[in-house]
Amino acid sequence: MTQTPDLGPEDRKIITLARSARARNGVPEGAAVRDETGRTYVAGTVALPSLELSALRTAVAMAVASGATSLEAAAVVSESDTASDDDRAAVRDLGGDATPVLLAGPDGVLKSSVTAG
């Protein structure tokens, strides 16, 4: 998997985890977030008749439910070329405006890195 050289090992790790969740579950998106203690939370898209959540919002919800109080970074693997405003808002709610949101394609190659704000 080719990565841009400015990504550190922890950021490459959450992209790999997000990519694995997407492939393992056969869903449109996989996501992973890293909290303030370095713990990671991994999720795929949730598409039930009564509940629809993007992978990134699901990962943020898992972090909150597990007691995380902040985020260091978030990653989503998707065919999309942008992280949605709703996804960035969920990251911002827990991590703040400056939290990086990494977007990679299904091949794991980084497409963009933006902040949640």
Side-chain angles (χ1 to χ4, degrees):
M1 169 172 52
T2 305
Q3 292 291 340
T4 56
D6 58 340
L7 284 180
E10 293 300 313
D11 289 341
R12 286 193 302 271
K13 175 183 172 182
I14 62 172
I15 289 173
T16 299
L17 290 170
R19 185 176 182 219
S20 296
R22 181 182 184 272
R24 179 179 56 250
N25 296 324
V27 292
E29 295 180 338
V33 298
R34 184 175 61 248
D35 75 8
E36 74 282 359
T37 68
R39 290 180 298 181
T40 55
Y41 306 88
V42 181
T45 308
V46 174
L48 299 172
S50 63
L51 178 65
E52 291 189 28
L53 291 171
S54 72
L56 191 50
R57 282 178 271 165
T58 303
V60 170
M62 291 173 62
V64 170
S66 296
T69 59
S70 184
L71 293 179
E72 291 181 351
V76 63
V77 171
S78 174
E79 294 281 350
S80 177
D81 290 327
T82 60
S84 77
D85 290 342
D86 289 340
D87 282 354
R88 290 178 46 238
V91 171
R92 184 173 55 248
D93 285 348
L94 187 57
D97 287 344
T99 307
V101 179
L102 310 170
L103 176 64
D107 58 1
V109 174
L110 185 68
K111 294 180 186 184
S112 68
S113 175
V114 298
T115 61

XYZ file of all heavy atoms in Angstrom:
817
model
N 0.851 -1.170 0.000
C 0.000 0.000 0.000
C 0.897 1.232 0.000
O 1.744 1.400 0.866
C -0.894 -0.058 1.240
C -1.637 1.188 1.528
S -2.862 1.066 2.848
C -1.962 0.387 4.196
N 0.697 2.106 -0.938
C 1.477 3.330 -1.045
C 0.852 4.405 -0.168
O -0.351 4.596 -0.186
C 1.510 3.812 -2.498
O 1.998 2.764 -3.315
C 2.376 5.026 -2.650
N 1.684 5.091 0.590
C 1.216 6.183 1.430
C 2.075 7.407 1.163
O 3.212 7.291 0.733
C 1.341 5.828 2.921
C 0.410 4.734 3.366
C -1.036 5.156 3.361
O -1.364 6.329 3.379
N -1.923 4.207 3.311
N 1.538 8.566 1.453
C 2.356 9.760 1.360
C 3.345 9.739 2.512
O 3.028 9.268 3.598
C 1.492 11.040 1.416
O 0.733 11.008 2.601
C 0.600 11.140 0.212
N 4.552 10.240 2.307
C 5.587 10.125 3.325
C 5.320 10.891 4.611
O 5.919 10.590 5.631
C 6.843 10.657 2.626
C 6.377 11.376 1.425
C 5.010 10.876 1.100
N 4.421 11.862 4.610
C 4.197 12.646 5.811
C 3.278 11.967 6.824
O 3.105 12.474 7.920
C 3.680 14.047 5.462
C 2.392 14.014 4.653
O 2.094 12.978 4.035
O 1.699 15.031 4.626
N 2.718 10.821 6.489
C 1.889 10.098 7.449
C 2.766 9.299 8.392
O 3.639 8.558 7.965
C 0.936 9.135 6.729
C -0.272 9.734 6.051
C -1.099 8.637 5.405
C -1.114 10.526 7.021
N 2.511 9.452 9.679
C 3.239 8.678 10.665
C 2.646 7.286 10.803
O 1.576 6.986 10.258
N 3.308 6.429 11.550
C 2.837 5.052 11.687
C 1.451 4.944 12.324
O 0.674 4.066 11.947
C 3.901 4.374 12.550
C 4.724 5.461 13.129
C 4.562 6.659 12.248
N 1.120 5.829 13.249
C -0.198 5.757 13.883
C -1.311 6.144 12.910
O -2.414 5.582 12.962
C -0.242 6.628 15.138
C 0.661 6.117 16.249
C 0.300 4.705 16.701
O -0.894 4.434 16.928
O 1.219 3.878 16.832
N -1.049 7.100 12.026
C -2.039 7.465 11.013
C -2.164 6.370 9.959
O -3.270 6.053 9.514
C -1.688 8.803 10.367
C -1.902 9.976 11.315
O -2.635 9.813 12.319
O -1.335 11.045 11.048
N -1.054 5.775 9.572
C -1.125 4.645 8.634
C -1.912 3.494 9.245
O -2.683 2.824 8.564
C 0.281 4.189 8.236
C 0.962 5.156 7.269
C 2.203 4.566 6.623
N 3.211 4.149 7.578
C 4.177 4.923 8.055
N 4.258 6.189 7.666
N 5.055 4.454 8.907
N -1.752 3.308 10.555
C -2.469 2.235 11.249
C -3.975 2.433 11.169
O -4.714 1.482 10.873
C -2.026 2.173 12.711
C -2.789 1.171 13.549
C -2.345 1.235 14.997
C -3.228 0.383 15.886
N -2.818 0.483 17.292
N -4.469 3.646 11.430
C -5.931 3.815 11.402
C -6.479 3.719 9.982
O -7.608 3.261 9.796
C -6.417 5.080 12.153
C -5.887 6.369 11.559
C -6.143 4.969 13.638
C -6.499 7.631 12.168
N -5.691 4.087 8.981
C -6.138 3.871 7.599
C -6.226 2.379 7.310
O -7.202 1.899 6.721
C -5.225 4.591 6.591
C -5.425 6.107 6.683
C -5.492 4.114 5.166
C -4.455 6.918 5.846
N -5.231 1.623 7.743
C -5.243 0.168 7.542
C -6.424 -0.470 8.253
O -7.101 -1.344 7.691
C -3.917 -0.449 8.034
O -2.841 0.108 7.274
C -3.917 -1.959 7.892
N -6.704 -0.039 9.490
C -7.849 -0.580 10.225
C -9.166 -0.248 9.528
O -10.065 -1.096 9.435
C -7.855 -0.045 11.659
C -6.748 -0.560 12.572
C -6.721 0.230 13.871
C -6.926 -2.047 12.840
N -9.293 0.974 9.040
C -10.510 1.377 8.327
C -10.682 0.563 7.043
O -11.783 0.120 6.716
C -10.461 2.871 8.011
N -9.586 0.378 6.344
C -9.618 -0.411 5.095
C -10.038 -1.852 5.386
O -10.846 -2.435 4.665
C -8.244 -0.359 4.447
C -8.186 -1.022 3.118
C -6.804 -0.849 2.502
N -6.769 -1.454 1.191
C -5.735 -2.124 0.729
N -4.640 -2.250 1.446
N -5.785 -2.644 -0.475
N -9.514 -2.422 6.449
C -9.851 -3.795 6.825
C -11.324 -3.931 7.194
O -11.974 -4.909 6.814
C -8.985 -4.248 7.999
O -7.640 -4.292 7.625
N -11.860 -2.955 7.932
C -13.277 -2.999 8.319
C -14.167 -2.962 7.087
O -15.166 -3.688 6.998
C -13.615 -1.846 9.256
N -13.812 -2.110 6.139
C -14.595 -1.995 4.903
C -14.598 -3.321 4.149
O -15.651 -3.822 3.734
C -14.023 -0.890 4.022
C -14.777 -0.680 2.724
C -14.081 0.423 1.903
N -14.824 0.706 0.703
C -14.646 0.053 -0.454
N -13.748 -0.908 -0.539
N -15.362 0.372 -1.509
N -13.433 -3.905 3.987
C -13.317 -5.155 3.233
C -13.977 -6.321 3.974
O -14.709 -7.112 3.381
C -11.850 -5.459 2.956
N -13.713 -6.427 5.266
C -14.228 -7.543 6.065
C -15.754 -7.562 6.094
O -16.383 -8.611 6.009
C -13.673 -7.450 7.485
C -14.150 -8.534 8.430
C -13.541 -8.412 9.829
N -13.787 -7.118 10.433
C -12.870 -6.187 10.653
N -11.618 -6.380 10.309
N -13.188 -5.044 11.221
N -16.360 -6.386 6.186
C -17.817 -6.311 6.317
C -18.537 -6.088 4.993
O -19.767 -6.077 4.973
C -18.180 -5.197 7.310
C -17.665 -5.511 8.691
O -17.644 -6.649 9.121
N -17.213 -4.486 9.396
N -17.788 -5.877 3.922
C -18.410 -5.669 2.617
C -19.312 -4.451 2.582
O -20.389 -4.482 1.991
N -18.878 -3.377 3.239
C -19.676 -2.157 3.318
C -19.021 -1.041 2.505
O -17.842 -1.117 2.166
C -19.863 -1.720 4.798
C -20.747 -2.725 5.540
C -18.526 -1.571 5.508
N -19.771 0.017 2.175
C -19.218 1.094 1.348
C -18.063 1.858 1.985
O -17.204 2.376 1.285
C -20.411 2.031 1.114
C -21.620 1.228 1.395
C -21.208 0.189 2.398
N -18.059 1.950 3.322
C -17.019 2.709 4.016
C -16.532 1.952 5.243
O -17.304 1.249 5.891
C -17.553 4.055 4.505
C -17.956 5.013 3.441
C -18.481 6.314 4.019
O -18.913 6.350 5.192
O -18.452 7.303 3.273
N -15.273 2.160 5.546
C -14.703 1.723 6.813
C -14.078 2.943 7.460
O -13.632 3.860 6.759
N -14.042 2.977 8.778
C -13.464 4.124 9.471
C -12.786 3.677 10.749
O -13.097 2.617 11.306
C -14.537 5.158 9.794
N -11.858 4.500 11.198
C -11.202 4.275 12.479
C -10.871 5.631 13.081
O -10.550 6.580 12.355
C -9.938 3.448 12.313
N -10.976 5.721 14.386
C -10.583 6.931 15.103
C -9.623 6.531 16.215
O -9.666 5.411 16.720
C -11.795 7.705 15.682
C -12.715 8.180 14.564
C -12.580 6.872 16.682
N -8.747 7.472 16.576
C -7.799 7.267 17.676
C -8.105 8.297 18.756
O -8.169 9.501 18.475
C -6.371 7.428 17.159
C -5.297 7.137 18.186
C -3.886 7.181 17.605
N -3.550 8.491 17.069
C -3.364 8.777 15.775
N -3.506 7.847 14.861
N -3.049 9.997 15.391
N -8.307 7.815 19.990
C -8.653 8.747 21.063
C -7.411 9.316 21.731
O -6.277 9.031 21.328
C -9.621 8.099 22.064
C -8.980 7.091 23.002
O -7.733 6.945 23.024
O -9.744 6.425 23.734
N -7.642 10.111 22.764
C -6.567 10.829 23.443
C -5.586 9.912 24.158
O -4.481 10.325 24.500
C -7.153 11.849 24.421
C -7.754 11.255 25.695
C -9.142 10.625 25.554
O -9.716 10.643 24.440
O -9.662 10.118 26.562
N -5.950 8.656 24.379
C -5.054 7.705 25.039
C -4.370 6.775 24.043
O -3.593 5.921 24.444
C -5.811 6.848 26.074
O -6.722 5.991 25.388
C -6.541 7.715 27.081
N -4.697 6.925 22.749
C -4.126 6.068 21.728
C -4.971 4.859 21.374
O -4.620 4.095 20.474
N -6.096 4.681 22.067
C -6.991 3.569 21.725
C -7.654 3.853 20.386
O -7.933 5.010 20.059
C -8.075 3.384 22.788
C -7.536 2.853 24.103
C -8.646 2.695 25.112
N -9.215 4.027 25.369
C -10.197 4.282 26.214
N -10.755 3.299 26.887
N -10.642 5.508 26.386
N -7.933 2.784 19.638
C -8.592 2.938 18.347
C -9.966 2.270 18.373
O -10.191 1.295 19.092
C -7.748 2.322 17.208
O -7.464 0.950 17.507
C -6.455 3.083 17.019
N -10.844 2.830 17.580
C -12.209 2.333 17.438
C -12.470 2.215 15.948
O -12.238 3.170 15.203
C -13.210 3.295 18.095
C -12.851 3.574 19.525
C -11.977 4.612 19.849
C -13.332 2.766 20.549
C -11.615 4.858 21.163
C -12.961 3.006 21.873
C -12.104 4.049 22.163
O -11.737 4.288 23.463
N -12.938 1.058 15.521
C -13.075 0.749 14.104
C -14.527 0.403 13.820
O -15.180 -0.289 14.603
C -12.164 -0.446 13.735
C -12.269 -0.769 12.260
C -10.725 -0.156 14.126
N -15.033 0.867 12.677
C -16.429 0.606 12.331
C -16.614 0.612 10.824
O -15.802 1.147 10.077
C -17.337 1.661 12.958
N -17.713 0.025 10.411
C -18.150 0.080 9.019
C -19.479 0.797 8.944
O -20.095 1.126 9.969
N -19.922 1.038 7.745
C -21.222 1.660 7.503
C -22.320 0.818 8.149
O -22.307 -0.407 8.069
C -21.488 1.739 5.984
O -20.373 2.357 5.356
C -22.760 2.497 5.675
N -23.279 1.479 8.790
C -24.456 0.812 9.352
C -25.641 1.176 8.466
O -25.943 2.362 8.292
C -24.726 1.260 10.809
C -26.033 0.666 11.324
C -23.559 0.882 11.704
N -26.288 0.156 7.896
C -27.436 0.395 7.018
C -28.551 -0.581 7.367
O -28.686 -1.645 6.764
C -27.029 0.238 5.559
N -29.313 -0.210 8.395
C -30.471 -0.984 8.815
C -31.727 -0.223 8.423
O -31.676 0.991 8.229
C -30.443 -1.179 10.333
C -29.252 -1.932 10.910
C -29.279 -1.859 12.438
C -29.262 -3.368 10.444
N -32.857 -0.906 8.341
C -34.083 -0.180 8.003
C -34.383 0.970 8.967
O -34.886 2.017 8.552
C -35.171 -1.260 8.088
C -34.455 -2.537 7.802
C -33.079 -2.358 8.414
N -34.044 0.807 10.234
C -34.363 1.843 11.211
C -33.156 2.679 11.640
O -33.310 3.590 12.450
C -34.986 1.202 12.460
O -34.037 0.344 13.062
N -31.964 2.399 11.116
C -30.769 3.121 11.538
C -29.741 3.137 10.424
O -29.323 2.085 9.937
C -30.151 2.458 12.779
C -28.867 3.074 13.324
C -29.121 4.494 13.835
C -28.287 2.196 14.413
N -29.349 4.335 10.017
C -28.298 4.490 9.019
C -27.238 5.440 9.563
O -27.550 6.555 9.963
C -28.863 5.036 7.712
C -29.748 4.038 6.995
C -30.118 4.494 5.600
O -29.342 5.248 4.986
O -31.190 4.083 5.146
N -26.001 4.942 9.604
C -24.879 5.749 10.071
C -23.683 5.511 9.156
O -23.423 4.383 8.755
C -24.463 5.357 11.490
C -25.400 5.679 12.633
C -24.916 5.012 13.915
C -25.487 7.184 12.818
N -22.958 6.570 8.887
C -21.715 6.403 8.143
C -20.720 5.662 9.035
O -20.867 5.607 10.259
C -21.139 7.764 7.759
O -20.629 8.412 8.916
N -19.700 5.126 8.423
C -18.668 4.425 9.186
C -17.984 5.358 10.180
O -17.728 4.978 11.328
C -17.645 3.820 8.227
N -17.709 6.589 9.765
C -16.999 7.507 10.647
C -17.860 7.919 11.841
O -17.387 7.951 12.981
C -16.510 8.738 9.879
C -15.542 9.648 10.614
C -14.377 8.887 11.240
C -15.016 10.723 9.681
N -19.126 8.204 11.609
C -19.997 8.549 12.735
C -20.166 7.363 13.686
O -20.241 7.536 14.902
C -21.343 9.068 12.241
C -21.223 10.527 11.783
C -22.496 11.060 11.243
N -22.478 10.736 9.814
C -23.515 10.779 9.021
N -24.686 11.126 9.477
N -23.397 10.491 7.743
N -20.181 6.149 13.143
C -20.265 4.951 13.981
C -19.006 4.810 14.835
O -19.081 4.510 16.028
C -20.481 3.695 13.124
O -21.658 3.860 12.326
C -20.642 2.456 13.988
N -17.832 5.036 14.242
C -16.576 4.940 14.990
C -16.520 5.998 16.095
O -16.073 5.706 17.214
C -15.385 5.073 14.049
N -16.967 7.208 15.798
C -17.004 8.258 16.825
C -17.959 7.850 17.942
O -17.634 7.994 19.130
C -17.396 9.625 16.219
C -17.676 10.652 17.317
C -16.308 10.136 15.279
N -19.118 7.324 17.598
C -20.081 6.888 18.618
C -19.490 5.781 19.482
O -19.689 5.773 20.712
C -21.376 6.415 17.957
N -18.755 4.861 18.887
C -18.115 3.794 19.658
C -17.089 4.367 20.631
O -16.991 3.916 21.771
C -17.454 2.791 18.716
C -18.460 1.975 17.914
S -17.686 0.952 16.660
C -16.694 -0.119 17.656
N -16.335 5.369 20.186
C -15.354 6.006 21.058
C -16.043 6.677 22.243
O -15.618 6.513 23.399
C -14.519 7.015 20.270
N -17.103 7.421 21.976
C -17.846 8.094 23.040
C -18.421 7.069 24.009
O -18.309 7.222 25.234
C -18.968 8.983 22.455
C -19.897 9.491 23.547
C -18.378 10.137 21.671
N -19.025 6.016 23.478
C -19.632 4.986 24.314
C -18.600 4.255 25.176
O -18.938 3.705 26.225
C -20.397 3.985 23.450
N -17.341 4.279 24.738
C -16.266 3.620 25.483
C -15.554 4.564 26.448
O -14.577 4.175 27.085
C -15.262 3.022 24.510
O -15.879 2.016 23.739
N -16.004 5.814 26.524
C -15.456 6.748 27.488
C -14.399 7.703 26.958
O -13.798 8.442 27.741
N -14.155 7.727 25.659
C -13.184 8.672 25.104
C -13.668 10.092 25.335
O -14.859 10.374 25.239
C -12.983 8.433 23.615
N -12.732 10.975 25.642
C -13.088 12.371 25.858
C -12.539 13.292 24.776
O -12.852 14.479 24.751
C -12.593 12.860 27.232
O -11.171 12.697 27.296
C -13.246 12.073 28.358
N -11.718 12.753 23.883
C -11.164 13.539 22.781
C -10.660 12.589 21.706
O -10.514 11.391 21.941
C -10.010 14.409 23.286
O -9.533 15.249 22.250
N -10.404 13.130 20.525
C -9.833 12.354 19.425
C -8.539 12.997 18.966
O -8.432 14.221 18.911
C -10.790 12.296 18.233
C -12.088 11.534 18.406
C -12.918 11.615 17.127
C -11.824 10.087 18.773
N -7.585 12.160 18.610
C -6.332 12.638 18.022
C -6.411 12.664 16.501
O -5.806 13.522 15.867
C -5.170 11.732 18.424
C -4.797 11.822 19.875
C -3.616 10.932 20.222
O -3.193 10.114 19.376
O -3.110 11.065 21.339
N -7.141 11.694 15.916
C -7.230 11.601 14.456
C -8.364 10.674 14.067
O -8.810 9.841 14.865
C -5.916 11.092 13.865
N -8.794 10.827 12.818
C -9.844 9.977 12.256
C -9.461 9.622 10.831
O -8.792 10.395 10.146
C -11.181 10.715 12.274
N -9.895 8.446 10.397
C -9.646 8.025 9.016
C -10.886 7.345 8.477
O -11.587 6.630 9.200
C -8.462 7.062 8.950
N -11.146 7.567 7.203
C -12.242 6.895 6.518
C -11.714 6.387 5.177
O -10.936 7.065 4.508
C -13.483 7.810 6.361
C -13.197 9.023 5.511
C -14.669 7.049 5.837
N -12.127 5.168 4.833
C -11.778 4.572 3.546
C -13.071 4.445 2.763
O -14.027 3.828 3.225
C -11.096 3.199 3.732
C -10.934 2.495 2.399
C -9.747 3.378 4.409
N -13.077 5.059 1.574
C -14.312 5.173 0.807
C -13.995 5.445 -0.654
O -12.899 5.902 -0.984
C -15.133 6.341 1.370
O -16.268 6.612 0.605
N -14.964 5.200 -1.505
C -14.866 5.600 -2.908
C -15.030 7.113 -3.053
O -14.608 7.701 -4.042
C -15.949 4.906 -3.745
C -15.810 3.408 -3.856
C -14.773 2.971 -4.869
O -14.269 3.828 -5.636
O -14.463 1.783 -4.893
N -15.651 7.746 -2.066
C -15.920 9.182 -2.109
C -14.624 9.980 -2.139
O -13.590 9.535 -1.643
C -16.743 9.580 -0.880
O -16.957 10.967 -0.866
N -14.708 11.177 -2.684
C -13.546 12.057 -2.746
C -13.490 13.059 -1.603
O -12.526 13.808 -1.496
C -13.519 12.804 -4.086
C -13.193 11.874 -5.237
O -12.426 10.904 -5.035
O -13.702 12.105 -6.343
N -14.525 13.094 -0.766
C -14.545 14.035 0.354
C -15.180 13.381 1.581
O -16.012 12.479 1.458
C -15.358 15.310 0.024
O -16.701 14.932 -0.281
C -14.765 16.073 -1.140
N -14.784 13.854 2.745
C -15.460 13.476 3.981
C -16.678 14.387 4.113
O -16.574 15.602 3.919
C -14.528 13.649 5.170
N -17.816 13.810 4.425
C -19.041 14.617 4.491
C -18.986 15.617 5.635
O -18.255 15.444 6.616
C -20.266 13.709 4.653
O -20.362 13.247 5.988
N -19.789 16.661 5.510
C -19.893 17.667 6.577
C -20.369 17.032 7.881
O -19.883 17.385 8.957
C -20.846 18.792 6.164
C -20.285 19.663 5.051
O -19.059 19.636 4.812
O -21.084 20.382 4.414
N -21.314 16.091 7.786
C -21.821 15.422 8.991
C -20.732 14.590 9.659
O -20.642 14.555 10.889
C -23.019 14.534 8.658
C -24.266 15.330 8.324
O -24.362 16.515 8.699
O -25.168 14.748 7.678
N -19.913 13.907 8.867
C -18.813 13.123 9.434
C -17.797 14.034 10.120
O -17.358 13.762 11.234
C -18.100 12.312 8.340
C -18.860 11.063 7.941
O -19.882 10.737 8.580
O -18.421 10.401 6.984
N -17.437 15.113 9.456
C -16.482 16.049 10.045
C -17.049 16.687 11.312
O -16.327 16.914 12.280
C -16.068 17.106 9.020
C -15.197 16.469 7.919
C -14.765 17.410 6.799
N -14.275 18.669 7.255
C -14.795 19.860 6.895
N -15.819 19.934 6.060
N -14.287 20.977 7.358
N -18.354 16.936 11.330
C -18.988 17.505 12.523
C -18.905 16.540 13.706
O -18.637 16.963 14.834
C -20.442 17.863 12.236
N -19.111 15.258 13.460
C -19.017 14.272 14.547
C -17.604 14.225 15.107
O -17.407 14.194 16.331
C -19.444 12.894 14.041
N -16.608 14.258 14.234
C -15.210 14.274 14.683
C -14.934 15.560 15.459
O -14.312 15.539 16.525
C -14.245 14.115 13.489
C -12.797 14.342 13.907
C -14.409 12.736 12.842
N -15.410 16.672 14.949
C -15.219 17.976 15.596
C -15.861 18.010 16.985
O -15.293 18.555 17.930
C -15.791 19.071 14.699
C -15.580 20.477 15.195
C -16.024 21.522 14.179
N -17.405 21.388 13.737
C -17.787 21.038 12.501
N -16.896 20.788 11.566
N -19.058 20.941 12.196
N -17.056 17.420 17.122
C -17.748 17.403 18.413
C -16.902 16.757 19.503
O -16.920 17.209 20.644
C -19.073 16.639 18.309
C -20.160 17.414 17.590
O -19.987 18.631 17.356
O -21.178 16.781 17.246
N -16.158 15.719 19.154
C -15.357 15.027 20.159
C -13.905 15.483 20.169
O -13.297 15.590 21.228
C -15.425 13.504 19.927
C -14.768 12.632 20.990
C -15.348 12.898 22.382
C -14.929 11.158 20.632
N -13.359 15.786 18.995
C -11.934 16.083 18.922
C -11.564 17.537 18.774
O -10.417 17.911 18.983
N -12.510 18.360 18.357
C -12.213 19.765 18.125
C -11.918 20.060 16.667
O -11.751 19.156 15.843
N -11.860 21.352 16.360
C -11.692 21.813 14.977
C -10.423 21.317 14.299
O -10.409 21.093 13.094
C -11.669 23.344 14.922
C -13.031 23.961 15.156
O -14.045 23.247 15.059
O -13.071 25.183 15.439
N -9.340 21.174 15.032
C -8.042 20.851 14.433
C -7.801 19.352 14.231
O -6.768 18.971 13.687
C -6.924 21.432 15.284
N -8.740 18.512 14.634
C -8.545 17.067 14.498
C -8.433 16.684 13.031
O -9.317 17.003 12.236
C -9.714 16.296 15.140
O -9.884 16.740 16.478
C -9.461 14.799 15.113
N -7.352 15.992 12.645
C -7.217 15.591 11.249
C -8.203 14.485 10.876
O -8.441 13.561 11.660
C -5.776 15.089 11.145
C -5.280 14.922 12.522
C -6.186 15.659 13.446
N -8.761 14.611 9.676
C -9.630 13.595 9.095
C -8.952 13.148 7.797
O -8.845 13.924 6.847
C -11.046 14.143 8.813
C -11.914 13.061 8.173
C -11.683 14.670 10.099
N -8.489 11.908 7.792
C -7.788 11.345 6.646
C -8.781 10.587 5.784
O -9.568 9.793 6.294
C -6.692 10.385 7.126
C -5.749 10.934 8.197
C -4.869 9.821 8.756
C -4.913 12.061 7.622
N -8.755 10.813 4.491
C -9.630 10.112 3.561
C -8.763 9.325 2.595
O -7.908 9.899 1.907
C -10.511 11.096 2.791
C -11.405 10.480 1.718
C -12.443 9.543 2.340
C -12.078 11.550 0.893
N -8.978 8.019 2.567
C -8.228 7.145 1.669
C -9.189 6.375 0.782
O -10.348 6.149 1.134
C -7.366 6.170 2.473
N -8.697 5.967 -0.365
C -9.469 5.133 -1.270
C -9.437 3.687 -0.809
O -8.703 3.327 0.121
N -10.214 2.829 -1.464
C -10.246 1.413 -1.100
C -8.878 0.724 -1.161
O -8.653 -0.278 -0.484
C -11.206 0.809 -2.124
C -12.083 1.943 -2.516
C -11.196 3.164 -2.487
N -7.959 1.292 -1.942
C -6.604 0.740 -2.021
C -5.719 1.198 -0.877
O -4.563 0.794 -0.772
C -5.957 1.109 -3.352
C -5.889 2.616 -3.588
O -6.323 3.407 -2.725
O -5.397 3.005 -4.666
N -6.244 2.056 0.000
C -5.494 2.549 1.139
C -4.646 3.772 0.855
O -3.992 4.287 1.747
N -4.674 4.252 -0.370
C -3.883 5.429 -0.728
C -4.620 6.690 -0.265
O -5.807 6.870 -0.552
C -3.611 5.485 -2.245
C -2.908 6.777 -2.633
C -2.779 4.286 -2.669
N -3.893 7.542 0.442
C -4.467 8.778 0.955
C -4.899 9.686 -0.184
O -4.118 9.980 -1.081
C -3.443 9.501 1.838
C -3.920 10.747 2.560
C -4.953 10.383 3.628
C -2.746 11.471 3.178
N -6.178 10.118 -0.147
C -6.699 11.069 -1.126
C -6.602 12.496 -0.599
O -6.314 13.426 -1.337
C -8.173 10.784 -1.430
C -8.450 9.489 -2.115
C -9.955 9.385 -2.336
C -10.391 8.080 -2.894
N -11.846 8.071 -3.165
N -6.929 12.654 0.693
C -6.891 13.997 1.272
C -6.776 13.909 2.789
O -7.089 12.892 3.390
C -8.140 14.790 0.895
O -9.295 14.233 1.519
N -6.315 15.001 3.349
C -6.269 15.153 4.798
C -6.787 16.561 5.083
O -6.221 17.538 4.597
C -4.834 14.993 5.312
O -4.799 15.251 6.700
N -7.882 16.616 5.822
C -8.487 17.909 6.182
C -8.653 17.935 7.689
O -8.478 16.918 8.361
C -9.851 18.113 5.480
C -9.690 18.144 3.972
C -10.847 17.048 5.893
N -8.989 19.074 8.223
C -9.313 19.150 9.637
C -10.823 19.054 9.801
O -11.588 19.306 8.857
C -8.791 20.441 10.274
O -9.405 21.553 9.620
C -7.279 20.531 10.195
N -11.226 18.698 11.004
C -12.653 18.550 11.276
C -13.388 19.882 11.259
O -14.588 19.927 11.036
C -12.863 17.865 12.624
N -12.656 20.981 11.521
C -13.275 22.308 11.608
C -13.592 22.948 10.308
O -13.309 22.581 9.245
